[in-house]
Amino acid sequence: MSIAEMARARAHEGMEIAAVAHVAPDRIAIESEAGDRTFRELNQRCNQIARQLRDAGLRHGDAIALLCTNRPEFVEVRFAAHRLGLRLTPVNWHLAPEEVAYIIDNCEAKALFADVRVSDAALAAAQLSEHLVIKSAVGGAINGFLDYEDSLAGFSIEDIDQPSLGTQMLYTSGTTGQPKGVLRDQPDPHAAAAMQELLTAVFQFEPDSGKDRALVTGPLYHSGPFNLCMSTPLVAGIGVVIMDKWEPEKCLELIQQYHITHTFFVPTMFSRLLHLSASIRQAYDISSMRFIIHGAAPIAIDTKRQALDWFGSIIWEMFAGTEGPGTIVSPQEWLAKPGTVGRPGPAQMLICDQQGEQVAAGVEGQIWLVNPKDSSFEYYRSPEKTRQAQQKEGYFTAGDIGLIDEDGYLFITGRHAEVIISGGVNIYPQEIDDILMAHESVADVACVGVPNDDMGEEVKALVQLCKGVAPSEALARELIAFCEAKLAKQKWPRSVGFLDTIARSEAGKVYRYKLRDAYWLDRERKV
């Protein structure tokens, strides 16, 4: 029986890692600065953690929280929960301690595994959370916590009996109000096997060859790296190389060193790789790469063209959100339809105007994604927020604006929350960002709406320059002229500001609202 067949046979009970360990025990599962694991070692540690949690009284459906940087222990806890029927919440350790504590308490975690690098947040959570019955410190000592390694030593490494498939509950970024846990109904466990089979085919995995290797490029608490860089490869029997922190040249070095075949990027990673000098880019062999998927934020068309020219036609794109799935597009489809994020299936998506009526092909509107009945979502412990969520007739929206062309392909043009309204005209800043990103002096950019007493708002381009380029009034005029040649007049930036860096999330999403708010501090109205 092949590795894929073995993993598929045990997917419904969350035991894919055990299946791979049975067929290829000595295959490397994890390589990282904090240590390596074979599939045998990973499976054994998952069994120990599962037994520790059972011994502490945790049962199917209980919640655990994982506050951990990119290291093997994150993976071990993730797959222990996966086979024990637990609800796992990975927590963004970049948040302030009080925010971390809120999430861990809100998800009703009974166990907390915390990295010593974020001990302040772990201690704040331990003090606030009423449900915790076990606290474990990873990578060092935290006052009042068990030592991760020592506490597991007495538990058996053999496969647990009566495994059951667990689930995850990720939290939204909380740009307005407190973060919200997105809880989806668990589908038929046997559907997990079919989904894994589909992903193995889409990702073009070759698990039986033993040569495929995935690179984890971002923080594992984020859904992209969590699912696409780590979970999906490992359950298919593909080992992963984990970066502690992403750096462009280091990324190329690891691709060459480990013959990486698969990875996930966010758009800013492509931009920063492309801004490396030609001599640096040419110094590394990236010919092992077979599949790159990107998402989480829009990408400029010119940036993606350059990336495809460099890496080849191996770059796929996904449009999705924490609340649910969206579309995926192959490089071949994208080259035929530059800028598309894929072709939705029948009844998968609606484009509606402000009155909620569907619009014609080619007309912009709000994007509504289907909320499947068998796995619909709710905001955990927030019935009011769930009721207030923009949902209707089996669909939901995250506020994205886009259009579906006459051939059925979806194009994202902006976000409703980011729209700039100037003289009554809606302007979506992403379109302007994409133009400016093509300028040779621009490393990153975010356009925002700033006050204009006559028009309400006007466009301001906030620009991070490439290394060695100095800001100047002349360059600001040049950037505005660059837009004038490519955009309608109402979309032209009226001014340019130069920043040392553009604030973005680890997913690559620009914190546009934070950049915008600085210009509205002395205003009664924010629009």
Side-chain angles (χ1 to χ4, degrees), residues 140-195:
I142 300 176
N143 188 36
F145 281 59
L146 300 172
D147 179 89
Y148 180 86
E149 294 290 338
D150 292 346
S151 66
L152 295 175
F155 291 96
S156 170
I157 61 176
E158 299 302 317
D159 286 351
I160 62 170
D161 59 354
Q162 298 181 316
S164 60
L165 183 64
T167 188
Q168 296 84 44
M169 184 172 74
L170 304 182
Y171 273 69
T172 63
S173 56
T175 54
T176 58
Q178 297 281 15
K180 302 183 290 291
V182 180
L183 180 63
R184 302 197 74 87
D185 292 340
Q186 180 77 298
D188 178 356
H190 290 278
M195 177 57 69

Side-chain angles (χ1 to χ4, degrees), residues 384-453:
E384 185 60 29
K385 290 179 181 178
T386 302
R387 284 193 294 271
Q388 292 172 355
Q390 298 188 55
Q391 302 184 59
K392 65 171 186 177
E393 301 170 2
Y395 291 83
F396 72 93
T397 182
D400 292 293
I401 303 295
L403 61 88
I404 294 177
D405 73 3
E406 64 280 359
D407 297 320
Y409 284 88
L410 175 67
F411 293 79
I412 308 298
T413 56
R415 282 185 63 82
H416 184 72
E418 297 177 346
V419 68
I420 299 168
I421 304 175
S422 183
V425 177
N426 286 359
I427 301 169
Y428 300 104
Q430 187 62 50
E431 181 182 6
I432 314 168
D433 291 356
D434 290 348
I435 296 297
L436 286 168
M437 276 301 300
H439 192 281
E440 62 183 5
S441 298
V442 176
D444 203 359
V445 61
C447 291
V448 298
V450 298
N452 180 296
D453 291 336

Side-chain angles (χ1 to χ4, degrees), residues 45-104:
R45 183 50 60 88
C46 290
N47 289 322
Q48 288 180 305
I49 296 168
R51 285 191 167 87
Q52 180 187 49
L53 293 172
R54 275 184 175 173
D55 189 63
L58 274 73
R59 297 293 182 265
H60 182 96
D62 285 339
I64 70 171
L66 180 54
L67 180 68
C68 190
T69 60
N70 283 15
R71 50 185 300 144
E73 292 86 350
F74 187 113
V75 185
E76 293 168 351
V77 174
R78 180 262 186 268
F79 281 106
H82 188 62
R83 67 181 54 181
L84 200 56
L86 302 178
R87 172 168 43 85
L88 172 69
T89 290
V91 183
N92 179 348
W93 51 268
H94 287 94
L95 296 174
E98 58 271 20
E99 294 175 298
V100 170
Y102 170 82
I103 291 173
I104 293 171

Side-chain angles (χ1 to χ4, degrees), residues 451-503:
N452 180 296
D453 291 336
D454 180 39
M455 304 294 284
E457 290 185 278
E458 65 179 43
V459 179
K460 186 179 187 70
L462 300 175
V463 174
Q464 175 185 331
L465 295 172
C466 295
K467 188 175 181 180
V469 179
S472 68
E473 286 296 326
L475 179 55
R477 290 193 295 271
E478 180 183 330
L479 293 173
I480 291 173
F482 191 73
C483 291
E484 290 174 353
K486 300 174 184 294
L487 291 168
K489 186 174 182 179
Q490 66 266 28
K491 299 177 183 179
W492 297 350
R494 297 305 191 261
S495 61
V496 176
F498 297 104
L499 302 178
D500 292 336
T501 186
I502 298 296

Side-chain angles (χ1 to χ4, degrees), residues 366-381:
Q366 195 160 43
I367 300 170
W368 293 82
L369 299 169
V370 69
N371 189 14
K373 291 182 179 180
D374 63 345
S375 60
S376 60
F377 79 88
E378 63 181 71
Y379 292 124
Y380 188 65
R381 294 178 62 187

